[in-house]
Structures are given as structure tokens and as C-alpha cells.
Amino acid sequence: MTTVCVGRRRRGEMVVTRLPDNIKLTPDRNLDFVNHSPSGFEIGYRGSGPAQLACGLLLDYYDDTQVAREHYIAFRNRVISQLKCDGPAACWHLTGEEIDATMATITDDVVALPDGGEPSPSLPENWRTVTRPDRRVFQRADCDHYIVLGDGTDGWLAVLCSQGDRAYPAPLASRTVSDDGDVERAIRDLADESNGLIEPQEGEC
């Protein structure tokens, strides 16, 4: 039986229902690993509400947290940002076949954070080390901050970033470390700086 997600506005709120089960989708299921818009879903632009909806739809359809986490930004940019509530029915429809077709085109378009990572003994408890073949990445477990370590002009460059409601990550702070410098200390400093900007949520770490 074909899966169809239908969205419509009800008293200003974007209400999303999965048919034929007639199940209402909410941000609650995916807020523990993607917390862009706890107040609800949105469509039609590249922002927080559409990001939360993209993650929610992928998680509901595939029932796979890694797939949702890896691809929700690309899915938001390509699909959710283009949805509109217009026409006589004032609603939008998205079928399972359309989701599959889109995902087949973005399997290589993965955001910087492919998984939740593993706890790191050298970082605060709300940070995780993320496995990447090309660079070292550290991710906050309770918000969308992450640290990327790569080659700089004169050594190492560690950058604290935030995805937020942007199509591309925004740098928040950085540290340049010489080849013989203390790279781990620079990463810890950036993690502490992030924790100072946004306090860890109770129960998340």
C-alpha cells in the first residue's frame, strides 16, 4: 500500500499526517538527535522548521536514525524547501515513491555529521567523536555544533561550526595549531567555548 504524507495548516500550525495509517507526525521522535525546531514543522524555505520536518519524514519513512541524520539537510534543501500549501485543497502531498526517488539522487550528498559518534574521554560528556575517513570531526550530542579538524596554512586548523537553519555550516570560532602544537587542547577549548554559548540540556549529557 502506497505511503503518502499530507501536510496542511491548522490554526497556523503545519500538521503532517501519514496515510493510509492516519498517523500524525510530530518533532518529538527525532528531537533527541536533531533539535532545530521543537515548536513544529515548516515548509517552503531552507530553515529550522523545514529541517525538522525533513528529518521527521525520513525517520518515519525509513525507520533508520542514521539515514535521517545523514541526509535530512540535503532532503530539506531539495524537497521540503520547495513544498507549498496552495491550490483548492490548501495542502501538499509527498508519496513514498517520491521520497525514494529523491534519496536515490542524494546518497552521496551527506552532511558533515554522519552519525552520533562515540564518547570521547578527552572532551566534555556531551561531545562525541565522529568517524570520518577524510578528517576528524567532533559533534555535540545536545545541539548542532561540531568541530572539524583539518589542514591549515601553517599546521592544523580546528573550526567550531553550526548548521542551524543554513544550507551550509557557519563557522563560530577557530584555532590554528602548529604542527608541533597541542591539537587536543585546541579541540577541548572549542568544545568548552561551544558549551559556554549554549548550555547542555538537562538529561542530555
Side-chain angles (χ1 to χ4, degrees), residues 91-171:
C91 62
W92 54 265
H93 296 76
L94 190 62
T95 67
E97 288 82 358
E98 290 171 326
I99 295 174
D100 286 333
T102 300
M103 289 295 288
T105 69
I106 63 175
T107 51
D108 294 327
D109 189 5
V110 180
V111 295
L113 309 178
D115 53 58
E118 297 296 331
S120 171
S122 62
L123 293 176
E125 292 182 357
N126 61 317
W127 282 83
R128 303 289 185 265
T129 300
V130 177
T131 302
R132 293 281 291 181
D134 54 343
R135 67 195 66 187
R136 293 176 66 188
V137 179
F138 308 88
Q139 177 185 4
R140 274 191 69 162
D142 55 331
C143 78
D144 68 351
H145 285 189
Y146 56 94
I147 299 167
V148 180
L149 178 66
D151 294 327
T153 305
D154 299 309
W156 296 98
L157 178 63
V159 183
L160 172 64
C161 304
S162 174
Q163 186 73 48
D165 59 359
R166 307 168 184 86
Y168 301 98

Side-chain angles (χ1 to χ4, degrees), residues 13 26-28 30-31 34-41 48-49 52 201:
E13 176 189 2
T26 69
D28 297 344
N30 59 334
L31 281 176
V34 172
N35 191 344
H36 289 292
S37 179
S39 60
F41 297 138
S48 299
Q52 202 73 52
Q201 298 177 16

Side-chain angles (χ1 to χ4, degrees), residues 172-200:
L172 301 177
S174 64
R175 298 286 190 279
T176 300
V177 186
S178 63
D179 288 330
D180 58 352
D182 191 344
V183 176
E184 298 298 330
R185 176 59 184 270
I187 294 171
R188 287 196 302 272
D189 287 347
L190 288 175
D192 290 340
E193 187 166 341
S194 168
N195 284 352
L197 291 172
I198 302 177
E199 291 295 332

